[in-house]
Amino acid sequence: MIENLLLLWLAALPLMGSPGPATISLAASGSAFGIRPSLGYLGGIIIGTIAVLLLVATGIATALLAHPIAGQVLTAIAAIYILYLAWKIATAPIKAARTSPDAQQSPETTPEPTPKTTGPDFRGGVMLAIANPKAFAAIGAVYAAHAIAPHSLWLDNALKIAALALVIVLVNSLWLVFGAGFARLLSDPRFGRLINILFAALLIASLAMALLSLS
């Protein structure tokens, strides 16, 4: 059983943790807005992806995606939200650079405060995760190809759901932290804008790759 569990994780980590609309959006949100403002979005992505996992485990996902209209609606929702999110990240205001504590500022040299913006929220994370075509494909492939306790159907399903839920929490959290690592460069307006636009472009590219994989 332990060997089967390890094989499941070895297959799930690279497949479910690879760049896709949800993971790239988390990195982009972490870079543009920081970890704390993105925690709600992270929670939404995790809850939504676990919901996809449950749909796969119960067989509902297969019936849902087999319906052409349902699949097209999910794809359209994901595409619209990802394009909106890419625009929001690309246009996010750049944080002003911190000044040295020893530096004396005059009213003339005091930088103007950066306009406050809010990152993507919990509801957006849930919506993107449930409408994310990569989530259905990756989770479905791993779930169907592995068994942890083949002699007991209910135990096998329970263990796979728990094991893959752990992977969902881990990989999405790591992508958020990875993106937040770029935040230190955002004090420079040029680098900050460039990184935001780069992540927005990667987000759109991940959407295009997901759509191509469905065709």
Side-chain angles (χ1 to χ4, degrees):
M1 184 179 295
I2 299 299
E3 182 180 354
N4 291 337
L5 178 60
L6 293 176
L7 290 174
L8 174 69
W9 277 335
L10 286 175
L13 282 170
L15 188 59
M16 296 171 61
S18 60
T23 51
I24 292 295
S25 70
L26 279 166
S29 181
S31 175
F33 304 105
I35 291 180
R36 183 173 294 180
S38 302
L39 289 178
Y41 184 64
L42 170 64
I45 290 288
I46 290 173
I47 295 299
T49 309
I50 290 177
V52 171
L53 170 60
L54 295 176
L55 291 175
V56 170
T58 56
I60 297 176
T62 302
L64 181 65
L65 295 179
H67 196 287
I69 296 180
Q72 291 173 4
V73 169
L74 286 175
T75 301
I77 292 173
I80 292 171
Y81 184 75
I82 288 170
L83 292 175
Y84 162 74
L85 190 58
W87 171 81
K88 191 171 185 178
I89 289 167
T91 58
I94 309 302
K95 298 177 181 179
R98 294 182 179 179
T99 55
S100 171
D102 300 328
Q104 295 182 353
Q105 293 183 354
S106 63
E108 291 79 8
T109 59
T110 301
E112 295 183 0
T114 303
K116 291 183 179 180
T117 58
T118 57
D121 58 10
F122 177 84
R123 289 175 297 178
V126 172
M127 181 177 67
L128 175 59
I130 292 178
N132 180 14
K134 178 181 178 290
F136 284 94
I139 293 174
V142 174
Y143 200 93
H146 291 81
I148 299 177
H151 300 295
S152 175
L153 181 60
W154 72 267
L155 180 60
D156 183 59
N157 286 328
L159 290 175
K160 286 196 292 186
I161 289 172
L164 293 179
L166 181 61
V167 173
I168 289 168
V169 173
L170 177 63
V171 298
N172 286 293
S173 299
L174 288 177
W175 272 97
L176 176 60
V177 173
F178 168 74
F182 289 92
R184 68 186 62 183
L185 300 176
L186 298 185
S187 58
D188 185 312
R190 293 172 300 176
F191 284 111
R193 182 59 59 203
L194 179 62
I195 290 174
N196 283 357
I197 293 175
L198 175 61
F199 271 117
L202 288 174
L203 186 54
I204 295 174
S206 71
L207 170 64
M209 292 179 64
L211 294 177
L212 286 175
S213 66
L214 296 177
S215 60

mmCIF file of all heavy atoms in Angstrom, residues 53-107:
data_model
loop_
_atom_site.group_PDB
_atom_site.id
_atom_site.type_symbol
_atom_site.label_atom_id
_atom_site.label_comp_id
_atom_site.label_asym_id
_atom_site.label_seq_id
_atom_site.Cartn_x
_atom_site.Cartn_y
_atom_site.Cartn_z
ATOM 1 N N LEU A 53 -11.707 17.096 -7.913
ATOM 2 C CA LEU A 53 -11.266 15.759 -7.510
ATOM 3 C C LEU A 53 -12.451 14.888 -7.103
ATOM 4 O O LEU A 53 -12.539 13.710 -7.490
ATOM 5 C CB LEU A 53 -10.269 15.880 -6.351
ATOM 6 C CG LEU A 53 -9.866 14.582 -5.629
ATOM 7 C CD1 LEU A 53 -9.206 13.604 -6.578
ATOM 8 C CD2 LEU A 53 -8.931 14.913 -4.462
ATOM 9 N N LEU A 54 -13.375 15.459 -6.342
ATOM 10 C CA LEU A 54 -14.555 14.705 -5.923
ATOM 11 C C LEU A 54 -15.462 14.376 -7.116
ATOM 12 O O LEU A 54 -16.060 13.291 -7.170
ATOM 13 C CB LEU A 54 -15.332 15.493 -4.863
ATOM 14 C CG LEU A 54 -14.597 15.699 -3.532
ATOM 15 C CD1 LEU A 54 -15.424 16.580 -2.603
ATOM 16 C CD2 LEU A 54 -14.289 14.362 -2.869
ATOM 17 N N LEU A 55 -15.555 15.305 -8.060
ATOM 18 C CA LEU A 55 -16.343 15.031 -9.270
ATOM 19 C C LEU A 55 -15.735 13.877 -10.067
ATOM 20 O O LEU A 55 -16.451 13.038 -10.616
ATOM 21 C CB LEU A 55 -16.431 16.287 -10.133
ATOM 22 C CG LEU A 55 -17.262 17.451 -9.591
ATOM 23 C CD1 LEU A 55 -17.154 18.658 -10.501
ATOM 24 C CD2 LEU A 55 -18.728 17.033 -9.435
ATOM 25 N N VAL A 56 -14.407 13.855 -10.129
ATOM 26 C CA VAL A 56 -13.721 12.771 -10.832
ATOM 27 C C VAL A 56 -13.928 11.452 -10.095
ATOM 28 O O VAL A 56 -14.214 10.409 -10.702
ATOM 29 C CB VAL A 56 -12.215 13.086 -10.965
ATOM 30 C CG1 VAL A 56 -11.446 11.862 -11.472
ATOM 31 C CG2 VAL A 56 -12.001 14.266 -11.909
ATOM 32 N N ALA A 57 -13.794 11.482 -8.760
ATOM 33 C CA ALA A 57 -13.892 10.260 -7.962
ATOM 34 C C ALA A 57 -15.285 9.644 -8.040
ATOM 35 O O ALA A 57 -15.433 8.412 -8.021
ATOM 36 C CB ALA A 57 -13.533 10.556 -6.507
ATOM 37 N N THR A 58 -16.296 10.473 -8.135
ATOM 38 C CA THR A 58 -17.674 9.966 -8.178
ATOM 39 C C THR A 58 -18.156 9.671 -9.594
ATOM 40 O O THR A 58 -19.272 9.183 -9.772
ATOM 41 C CB THR A 58 -18.625 10.987 -7.526
ATOM 42 O OG1 THR A 58 -18.490 12.251 -8.187
ATOM 43 C CG2 THR A 58 -18.313 11.155 -6.046
ATOM 44 N N GLY A 59 -17.338 9.990 -10.590
ATOM 45 C CA GLY A 59 -17.733 9.738 -11.973
ATOM 46 C C GLY A 59 -18.583 10.830 -12.584
ATOM 47 O O GLY A 59 -18.939 10.749 -13.754
ATOM 48 N N ILE A 60 -18.909 11.854 -11.800
ATOM 49 C CA ILE A 60 -19.739 12.935 -12.330
ATOM 50 C C ILE A 60 -18.989 13.718 -13.400
ATOM 51 O O ILE A 60 -19.587 14.170 -14.383
ATOM 52 C CB ILE A 60 -20.193 13.867 -11.189
ATOM 53 C CG1 ILE A 60 -21.072 13.094 -10.203
ATOM 54 C CG2 ILE A 60 -20.947 15.079 -11.732
ATOM 55 C CD1 ILE A 60 -21.493 13.894 -8.996
ATOM 56 N N ALA A 61 -17.693 13.877 -13.218
ATOM 57 C CA ALA A 61 -16.901 14.645 -14.177
ATOM 58 C C ALA A 61 -16.951 14.021 -15.564
ATOM 59 O O ALA A 61 -17.042 14.720 -16.579
ATOM 60 C CB ALA A 61 -15.452 14.749 -13.695
ATOM 61 N N THR A 62 -16.884 12.692 -15.618
ATOM 62 C CA THR A 62 -16.927 12.009 -16.914
ATOM 63 C C THR A 62 -18.238 12.286 -17.640
ATOM 64 O O THR A 62 -18.252 12.602 -18.842
ATOM 65 C CB THR A 62 -16.754 10.497 -16.714
ATOM 66 O OG1 THR A 62 -15.524 10.252 -16.045
ATOM 67 C CG2 THR A 62 -16.753 9.777 -18.051
ATOM 68 N N ALA A 63 -19.332 12.201 -16.890
ATOM 69 C CA ALA A 63 -20.643 12.459 -17.503
ATOM 70 C C ALA A 63 -20.796 13.919 -17.888
ATOM 71 O O ALA A 63 -21.373 14.255 -18.927
ATOM 72 C CB ALA A 63 -21.749 12.046 -16.532
ATOM 73 N N LEU A 64 -20.234 14.810 -17.050
ATOM 74 C CA LEU A 64 -20.349 16.243 -17.322
ATOM 75 C C LEU A 64 -19.573 16.631 -18.570
ATOM 76 O O LEU A 64 -20.086 17.329 -19.457
ATOM 77 C CB LEU A 64 -19.848 17.034 -16.121
ATOM 78 C CG LEU A 64 -19.923 18.563 -16.213
ATOM 79 C CD1 LEU A 64 -21.370 19.019 -16.295
ATOM 80 C CD2 LEU A 64 -19.231 19.208 -15.014
ATOM 81 N N LEU A 65 -18.322 16.182 -18.653
ATOM 82 C CA LEU A 65 -17.486 16.561 -19.785
ATOM 83 C C LEU A 65 -17.898 15.858 -21.067
ATOM 84 O O LEU A 65 -17.533 16.300 -22.162
ATOM 85 C CB LEU A 65 -16.020 16.255 -19.470
ATOM 86 C CG LEU A 65 -15.414 17.076 -18.319
ATOM 87 C CD1 LEU A 65 -13.970 16.669 -18.071
ATOM 88 C CD2 LEU A 65 -15.499 18.566 -18.618
ATOM 89 N N ALA A 66 -18.626 14.763 -20.937
ATOM 90 C CA ALA A 66 -19.102 14.070 -22.140
ATOM 91 C C ALA A 66 -20.187 14.869 -22.846
ATOM 92 O O ALA A 66 -20.424 14.680 -24.035
ATOM 93 C CB ALA A 66 -19.626 12.687 -21.772
ATOM 94 N N HIS A 67 -20.829 15.761 -22.109
ATOM 95 C CA HIS A 67 -21.856 16.611 -22.709
ATOM 96 C C HIS A 67 -21.164 17.777 -23.404
ATOM 97 O O HIS A 67 -20.464 18.566 -22.762
ATOM 98 C CB HIS A 67 -22.818 17.114 -21.640
ATOM 99 C CG HIS A 67 -24.096 17.658 -22.192
ATOM 100 N ND1 HIS A 67 -24.168 18.874 -22.853
ATOM 101 C CD2 HIS A 67 -25.361 17.151 -22.212
ATOM 102 C CE1 HIS A 67 -25.413 19.094 -23.229
ATOM 103 N NE2 HIS A 67 -26.162 18.063 -22.854
ATOM 104 N N PRO A 68 -21.301 17.927 -24.705
ATOM 105 C CA PRO A 68 -20.539 18.958 -25.429
ATOM 106 C C PRO A 68 -20.823 20.381 -24.960
ATOM 107 O O PRO A 68 -19.918 21.198 -24.856
ATOM 108 C CB PRO A 68 -20.962 18.753 -26.892
ATOM 109 C CG PRO A 68 -22.256 18.007 -26.818
ATOM 110 C CD PRO A 68 -22.177 17.155 -25.598
ATOM 111 N N ILE A 69 -22.072 20.674 -24.637
ATOM 112 C CA ILE A 69 -22.413 22.033 -24.226
ATOM 113 C C ILE A 69 -21.806 22.352 -22.867
ATOM 114 O O ILE A 69 -21.257 23.438 -22.654
ATOM 115 C CB ILE A 69 -23.944 22.218 -24.193
ATOM 116 C CG1 ILE A 69 -24.527 22.052 -25.600
ATOM 117 C CG2 ILE A 69 -24.308 23.575 -23.616
ATOM 118 C CD1 ILE A 69 -26.034 22.211 -25.667
ATOM 119 N N ALA A 70 -21.863 21.399 -21.939
ATOM 120 C CA ALA A 70 -21.305 21.621 -20.609
ATOM 121 C C ALA A 70 -19.803 21.879 -20.685
ATOM 122 O O ALA A 70 -19.276 22.778 -20.023
ATOM 123 C CB ALA A 70 -21.589 20.417 -19.716
ATOM 124 N N GLY A 71 -19.111 21.082 -21.512
ATOM 125 C CA GLY A 71 -17.678 21.293 -21.666
ATOM 126 C C GLY A 71 -17.348 22.648 -22.260
ATOM 127 O O GLY A 71 -16.414 23.315 -21.832
ATOM 128 N N GLN A 72 -18.130 23.072 -23.234
ATOM 129 C CA GLN A 72 -17.893 24.377 -23.859
ATOM 130 C C GLN A 72 -18.174 25.519 -22.888
ATOM 131 O O GLN A 72 -17.457 26.526 -22.886
ATOM 132 C CB GLN A 72 -18.774 24.505 -25.103
ATOM 133 C CG GLN A 72 -18.377 23.586 -26.238
ATOM 134 C CD GLN A 72 -19.364 23.617 -27.386
ATOM 135 O OE1 GLN A 72 -20.328 24.393 -27.375
ATOM 136 N NE2 GLN A 72 -19.149 22.775 -28.385
ATOM 137 N N VAL A 73 -19.202 25.375 -22.055
ATOM 138 C CA VAL A 73 -19.517 26.416 -21.072
ATOM 139 C C VAL A 73 -18.387 26.555 -20.061
ATOM 140 O O VAL A 73 -17.960 27.671 -19.731
ATOM 141 C CB VAL A 73 -20.849 26.091 -20.361
ATOM 142 C CG1 VAL A 73 -21.049 27.012 -19.153
ATOM 143 C CG2 VAL A 73 -22.015 26.242 -21.325
ATOM 144 N N LEU A 74 -17.882 25.423 -19.551
ATOM 145 C CA LEU A 74 -16.778 25.467 -18.597
ATOM 146 C C LEU A 74 -15.545 26.119 -19.220
ATOM 147 O O LEU A 74 -14.875 26.940 -18.586
ATOM 148 C CB LEU A 74 -16.434 24.056 -18.114
ATOM 149 C CG LEU A 74 -17.405 23.404 -17.138
ATOM 150 C CD1 LEU A 74 -16.988 21.979 -16.852
ATOM 151 C CD2 LEU A 74 -17.482 24.206 -15.841
ATOM 152 N N THR A 75 -15.237 25.755 -20.445
ATOM 153 C CA THR A 75 -14.084 26.329 -21.128
ATOM 154 C C THR A 75 -14.252 27.823 -21.329
ATOM 155 O O THR A 75 -13.304 28.602 -21.131
ATOM 156 C CB THR A 75 -13.880 25.639 -22.488
ATOM 157 O OG1 THR A 75 -13.693 24.234 -22.283
ATOM 158 C CG2 THR A 75 -12.661 26.204 -23.196
ATOM 159 N N ALA A 76 -15.437 28.265 -21.709
ATOM 160 C CA ALA A 76 -15.686 29.689 -21.927
ATOM 161 C C ALA A 76 -15.555 30.479 -20.621
ATOM 162 O O ALA A 76 -14.966 31.566 -20.599
ATOM 163 C CB ALA A 76 -17.079 29.888 -22.528
ATOM 164 N N ILE A 77 -16.090 29.929 -19.533
ATOM 165 C CA ILE A 77 -15.980 30.604 -18.233
ATOM 166 C C ILE A 77 -14.520 30.759 -17.832
ATOM 167 O O ILE A 77 -14.081 31.832 -17.398
ATOM 168 C CB ILE A 77 -16.759 29.821 -17.157
ATOM 169 C CG1 ILE A 77 -18.264 29.908 -17.428
ATOM 170 C CG2 ILE A 77 -16.444 30.358 -15.766
ATOM 171 C CD1 ILE A 77 -19.085 29.033 -16.510
ATOM 172 N N ALA A 78 -13.758 29.676 -17.975
ATOM 173 C CA ALA A 78 -12.343 29.730 -17.617
ATOM 174 C C ALA A 78 -11.600 30.743 -18.484
ATOM 175 O O ALA A 78 -10.778 31.523 -17.976
ATOM 176 C CB ALA A 78 -11.707 28.349 -17.768
ATOM 177 N N ALA A 79 -11.865 30.742 -19.776
ATOM 178 C CA ALA A 79 -11.159 31.650 -20.686
ATOM 179 C C ALA A 79 -11.452 33.114 -20.354
ATOM 180 O O ALA A 79 -10.533 33.942 -20.296
ATOM 181 C CB ALA A 79 -11.564 31.349 -22.127
ATOM 182 N N ILE A 80 -12.718 33.429 -20.110
ATOM 183 C CA ILE A 80 -13.082 34.815 -19.805
ATOM 184 C C ILE A 80 -12.439 35.278 -18.508
ATOM 185 O O ILE A 80 -11.870 36.376 -18.431
ATOM 186 C CB ILE A 80 -14.622 34.949 -19.727
ATOM 187 C CG1 ILE A 80 -15.236 34.746 -21.117
ATOM 188 C CG2 ILE A 80 -15.026 36.314 -19.170
ATOM 189 C CD1 ILE A 80 -16.746 34.643 -21.103
ATOM 190 N N TYR A 81 -12.479 34.422 -17.483
ATOM 191 C CA TYR A 81 -11.908 34.835 -16.202
ATOM 192 C C TYR A 81 -10.397 34.947 -16.284
ATOM 193 O O TYR A 81 -9.795 35.857 -15.705
ATOM 194 C CB TYR A 81 -12.301 33.858 -15.092
ATOM 195 C CG TYR A 81 -11.810 34.317 -13.741
ATOM 196 C CD1 TYR A 81 -12.438 35.369 -13.076
ATOM 197 C CD2 TYR A 81 -10.697 33.729 -13.146
ATOM 198 C CE1 TYR A 81 -11.980 35.815 -11.857
ATOM 199 C CE2 TYR A 81 -10.235 34.169 -11.920
ATOM 200 C CZ TYR A 81 -10.884 35.211 -11.275
ATOM 201 O OH TYR A 81 -10.409 35.654 -10.067
ATOM 202 N N ILE A 82 -9.746 34.049 -16.995
ATOM 203 C CA ILE A 82 -8.291 34.104 -17.109
ATOM 204 C C ILE A 82 -7.853 35.363 -17.856
ATOM 205 O O ILE A 82 -6.871 36.012 -17.480
ATOM 206 C CB ILE A 82 -7.760 32.828 -17.806
ATOM 207 C CG1 ILE A 82 -7.882 31.631 -16.857
ATOM 208 C CG2 ILE A 82 -6.307 32.998 -18.241
ATOM 209 C CD1 ILE A 82 -7.605 30.303 -17.512
ATOM 210 N N LEU A 83 -8.572 35.733 -18.903
ATOM 211 C CA LEU A 83 -8.231 36.966 -19.623
ATOM 212 C C LEU A 83 -8.427 38.190 -18.727
ATOM 213 O O LEU A 83 -7.601 39.118 -18.737
ATOM 214 C CB LEU A 83 -9.088 37.082 -20.880
ATOM 215 C CG LEU A 83 -8.797 36.056 -21.986
ATOM 216 C CD1 LEU A 83 -9.787 36.212 -23.118
ATOM 217 C CD2 LEU A 83 -7.366 36.219 -22.490
ATOM 218 N N TYR A 84 -9.502 38.186 -17.938
ATOM 219 C CA TYR A 84 -9.721 39.288 -16.990
ATOM 220 C C TYR A 84 -8.608 39.335 -15.951
ATOM 221 O O TYR A 84 -8.080 40.407 -15.619
ATOM 222 C CB TYR A 84 -11.081 39.114 -16.303
ATOM 223 C CG TYR A 84 -11.226 39.908 -15.034
ATOM 224 C CD1 TYR A 84 -11.414 41.286 -15.062
ATOM 225 C CD2 TYR A 84 -11.164 39.276 -13.795
ATOM 226 C CE1 TYR A 84 -11.539 42.022 -13.883
ATOM 227 C CE2 TYR A 84 -11.281 39.993 -12.622
ATOM 228 C CZ TYR A 84 -11.473 41.358 -12.670
ATOM 229 O OH TYR A 84 -11.584 42.072 -11.503
ATOM 230 N N LEU A 85 -8.226 38.162 -15.441
ATOM 231 C CA LEU A 85 -7.174 38.100 -14.435
ATOM 232 C C LEU A 85 -5.833 38.545 -15.006
ATOM 233 O O LEU A 85 -5.055 39.240 -14.333
ATOM 234 C CB LEU A 85 -7.076 36.671 -13.900
ATOM 235 C CG LEU A 85 -6.196 36.438 -12.672
ATOM 236 C CD1 LEU A 85 -6.675 37.300 -11.509
ATOM 237 C CD2 LEU A 85 -6.225 34.961 -12.284
ATOM 238 N N ALA A 86 -5.547 38.162 -16.250
ATOM 239 C CA ALA A 86 -4.299 38.587 -16.885
ATOM 240 C C ALA A 86 -4.247 40.103 -17.017
ATOM 241 O O ALA A 86 -3.200 40.732 -16.772
ATOM 242 C CB ALA A 86 -4.164 37.930 -18.258
ATOM 243 N N TRP A 87 -5.362 40.715 -17.411
ATOM 244 C CA TRP A 87 -5.410 42.175 -17.505
ATOM 245 C C TRP A 87 -5.212 42.820 -16.136
ATOM 246 O O TRP A 87 -4.481 43.810 -15.994
ATOM 247 C CB TRP A 87 -6.756 42.595 -18.096
ATOM 248 C CG TRP A 87 -6.991 44.081 -18.029
ATOM 249 C CD1 TRP A 87 -6.510 45.032 -18.881
ATOM 250 C CD2 TRP A 87 -7.743 44.788 -17.031
ATOM 251 N NE1 TRP A 87 -6.914 46.281 -18.477
ATOM 252 C CE2 TRP A 87 -7.671 46.163 -17.345
ATOM 253 C CE3 TRP A 87 -8.460 44.380 -15.913
ATOM 254 C CZ2 TRP A 87 -8.299 47.132 -16.565
ATOM 255 C CZ3 TRP A 87 -9.081 45.346 -15.138
ATOM 256 C CH2 TRP A 87 -8.994 46.701 -15.470
ATOM 257 N N LYS A 88 -5.832 42.257 -15.108
ATOM 258 C CA LYS A 88 -5.727 42.811 -13.760
ATOM 259 C C LYS A 88 -4.299 42.738 -13.241
ATOM 260 O O LYS A 88 -3.809 43.668 -12.593
ATOM 261 C CB LYS A 88 -6.670 42.049 -12.821
ATOM 262 C CG LYS A 88 -6.858 42.699 -11.463
ATOM 263 C CD LYS A 88 -7.964 42.006 -10.678
ATOM 264 C CE LYS A 88 -8.220 42.744 -9.375
ATOM 265 N NZ LYS A 88 -9.319 42.121 -8.598
ATOM 266 N N ILE A 89 -3.613 41.642 -13.535
ATOM 267 C CA ILE A 89 -2.232 41.477 -13.080
ATOM 268 C C ILE A 89 -1.293 42.382 -13.868
ATOM 269 O O ILE A 89 -0.399 43.016 -13.304
ATOM 270 C CB ILE A 89 -1.812 40.001 -13.202
ATOM 271 C CG1 ILE A 89 -2.556 39.173 -12.140
ATOM 272 C CG2 ILE A 89 -0.310 39.832 -13.062
ATOM 273 C CD1 ILE A 89 -2.469 37.688 -12.347
ATOM 274 N N ALA A 90 -1.489 42.467 -15.177
ATOM 275 C CA ALA A 90 -0.614 43.299 -16.005
ATOM 276 C C ALA A 90 -0.720 44.774 -15.641
ATOM 277 O O ALA A 90 0.257 45.528 -15.765
ATOM 278 C CB ALA A 90 -0.937 43.096 -17.482
ATOM 279 N N THR A 91 -1.883 45.201 -15.195
ATOM 280 C CA THR A 91 -2.093 46.622 -14.877
ATOM 281 C C THR A 91 -2.018 46.914 -13.383
ATOM 282 O O THR A 91 -2.330 48.031 -12.969
ATOM 283 C CB THR A 91 -3.470 47.074 -15.408
ATOM 284 O OG1 THR A 91 -4.504 46.267 -14.825
ATOM 285 C CG2 THR A 91 -3.528 46.953 -16.919
ATOM 286 N N ALA A 92 -1.623 45.931 -12.576
ATOM 287 C CA ALA A 92 -1.531 46.156 -11.130
ATOM 288 C C ALA A 92 -0.498 47.244 -10.844
ATOM 289 O O ALA A 92 0.589 47.248 -11.425
ATOM 290 C CB ALA A 92 -1.135 44.864 -10.420
ATOM 291 N N PRO A 93 -0.798 48.190 -9.957
ATOM 292 C CA PRO A 93 0.159 49.258 -9.647
ATOM 293 C C PRO A 93 1.406 48.710 -8.984
ATOM 294 O O PRO A 93 1.349 47.723 -8.246
ATOM 295 C CB PRO A 93 -0.632 50.170 -8.698
ATOM 296 C CG PRO A 93 -1.698 49.310 -8.128
ATOM 297 C CD PRO A 93 -2.053 48.322 -9.199
ATOM 298 N N ILE A 94 2.532 49.344 -9.270
ATOM 299 C CA ILE A 94 3.815 48.924 -8.728
ATOM 300 C C ILE A 94 4.034 49.593 -7.386
ATOM 301 O O ILE A 94 3.847 50.797 -7.231
ATOM 302 C CB ILE A 94 4.970 49.283 -9.685
ATOM 303 C CG1 ILE A 94 4.649 48.766 -11.086
ATOM 304 C CG2 ILE A 94 6.279 48.703 -9.186
ATOM 305 C CD1 ILE A 94 4.404 47.294 -11.162
ATOM 306 N N LYS A 95 4.447 48.794 -6.405
ATOM 307 C CA LYS A 95 4.717 49.355 -5.086
ATOM 308 C C LYS A 95 5.927 50.272 -5.131
ATOM 309 O O LYS A 95 6.924 49.974 -5.790
ATOM 310 C CB LYS A 95 4.973 48.232 -4.072
ATOM 311 C CG LYS A 95 3.783 47.308 -3.885
ATOM 312 C CD LYS A 95 4.122 46.197 -2.927
ATOM 313 C CE LYS A 95 2.950 45.243 -2.754
ATOM 314 N NZ LYS A 95 3.272 44.127 -1.834
ATOM 315 N N ALA A 96 5.839 51.359 -4.395
ATOM 316 C CA ALA A 96 6.958 52.295 -4.348
ATOM 317 C C ALA A 96 8.121 51.691 -3.584
ATOM 318 O O ALA A 96 7.947 50.920 -2.647
ATOM 319 C CB ALA A 96 6.522 53.595 -3.672
ATOM 320 N N ALA A 97 9.331 52.042 -3.998
ATOM 321 C CA ALA A 97 10.522 51.534 -3.334
ATOM 322 C C ALA A 97 10.623 52.082 -1.924
ATOM 323 O O ALA A 97 10.290 53.222 -1.655
ATOM 324 C CB ALA A 97 11.772 51.911 -4.133
ATOM 325 N N ARG A 98 11.106 51.246 -0.998
ATOM 326 C CA ARG A 98 11.293 51.696 0.361
ATOM 327 C C ARG A 98 12.522 52.587 0.450
ATOM 328 O O ARG A 98 13.557 52.308 -0.141
ATOM 329 C CB ARG A 98 11.474 50.491 1.298
ATOM 330 C CG ARG A 98 10.230 49.622 1.397
ATOM 331 C CD ARG A 98 10.480 48.492 2.359
ATOM 332 N NE ARG A 98 9.291 47.667 2.490
ATOM 333 C CZ ARG A 98 9.227 46.571 3.265
ATOM 334 N NH1 ARG A 98 10.286 46.203 3.955
ATOM 335 N NH2 ARG A 98 8.116 45.881 3.340
ATOM 336 N N THR A 99 12.412 53.633 1.206
ATOM 337 C CA THR A 99 13.538 54.529 1.370
ATOM 338 C C THR A 99 14.309 54.154 2.614
ATOM 339 O O THR A 99 13.783 53.515 3.534
ATOM 340 C CB THR A 99 13.048 55.978 1.507
ATOM 341 O OG1 THR A 99 12.108 56.041 2.579
ATOM 342 C CG2 THR A 99 12.361 56.427 0.222
ATOM 343 N N SER A 100 15.579 54.551 2.669
ATOM 344 C CA SER A 100 16.423 54.248 3.804
ATOM 345 C C SER A 100 15.912 54.964 5.036
ATOM 346 O O SER A 100 15.475 56.105 4.977
ATOM 347 C CB SER A 100 17.867 54.671 3.503
ATOM 348 O OG SER A 100 18.647 54.579 4.666
ATOM 349 N N PRO A 101 15.987 54.330 6.233
ATOM 350 C CA PRO A 101 15.516 54.990 7.434
ATOM 351 C C PRO A 101 16.301 56.250 7.761
ATOM 352 O O PRO A 101 15.811 57.140 8.445
ATOM 353 C CB PRO A 101 15.724 53.922 8.531
ATOM 354 C CG PRO A 101 15.835 52.627 7.810
ATOM 355 C CD PRO A 101 16.402 52.956 6.479
ATOM 356 N N ASP A 102 17.581 56.315 7.292
ATOM 357 C CA ASP A 102 18.416 57.466 7.584
ATOM 358 C C ASP A 102 18.177 58.623 6.632
ATOM 359 O O ASP A 102 18.668 59.735 6.846
ATOM 360 C CB ASP A 102 19.906 57.067 7.512
ATOM 361 C CG ASP A 102 20.225 55.973 8.531
ATOM 362 O OD1 ASP A 102 19.585 55.967 9.602
ATOM 363 O OD2 ASP A 102 21.095 55.138 8.236
ATOM 364 N N ALA A 103 17.463 58.319 5.533
ATOM 365 C CA ALA A 103 17.253 59.373 4.546
ATOM 366 C C ALA A 103 16.188 60.333 5.040
ATOM 367 O O ALA A 103 15.172 59.923 5.584
ATOM 368 C CB ALA A 103 16.831 58.758 3.206
ATOM 369 N N GLN A 104 16.428 61.622 4.853
ATOM 370 C CA GLN A 104 15.477 62.649 5.238
ATOM 371 C C GLN A 104 14.660 63.032 4.013
ATOM 372 O O GLN A 104 15.203 63.325 2.965
ATOM 373 C CB GLN A 104 16.203 63.888 5.796
ATOM 374 C CG GLN A 104 16.951 63.597 7.091
ATOM 375 C CD GLN A 104 17.624 64.852 7.640
ATOM 376 O OE1 GLN A 104 17.628 65.888 6.979
ATOM 377 N NE2 GLN A 104 18.173 64.735 8.827
ATOM 378 N N GLN A 105 13.365 63.000 4.198
ATOM 379 C CA GLN A 105 12.495 63.308 3.085
ATOM 380 C C GLN A 105 11.837 64.650 3.323
ATOM 381 O O GLN A 105 11.426 64.965 4.437
ATOM 382 C CB GLN A 105 11.406 62.246 2.937
ATOM 383 C CG GLN A 105 11.951 60.893 2.534
ATOM 384 C CD GLN A 105 10.815 59.905 2.334
ATOM 385 O OE1 GLN A 105 9.667 60.215 2.604
ATOM 386 N NE2 GLN A 105 11.155 58.718 1.855
ATOM 387 N N SER A 106 11.778 65.409 2.284
ATOM 388 C CA SER A 106 11.064 66.669 2.333
ATOM 389 C C SER A 106 9.706 66.466 1.697
ATOM 390 O O SER A 106 9.488 65.482 0.989
ATOM 391 C CB SER A 106 11.837 67.740 1.553
ATOM 392 O OG SER A 106 11.907 67.377 0.193
ATOM 393 N N PRO A 107 8.759 67.348 1.933
ATOM 394 C CA PRO A 107 7.445 67.192 1.293
ATOM 395 C C PRO A 107 7.538 67.096 -0.210
ATOM 396 O O PRO A 107 6.721 66.459 -0.852
ATOM 397 C CB PRO A 107 6.688 68.457 1.742
ATOM 398 C CG PRO A 107 7.361 68.863 3.028
ATOM 399 C CD PRO A 107 8.794 68.497 2.854
#
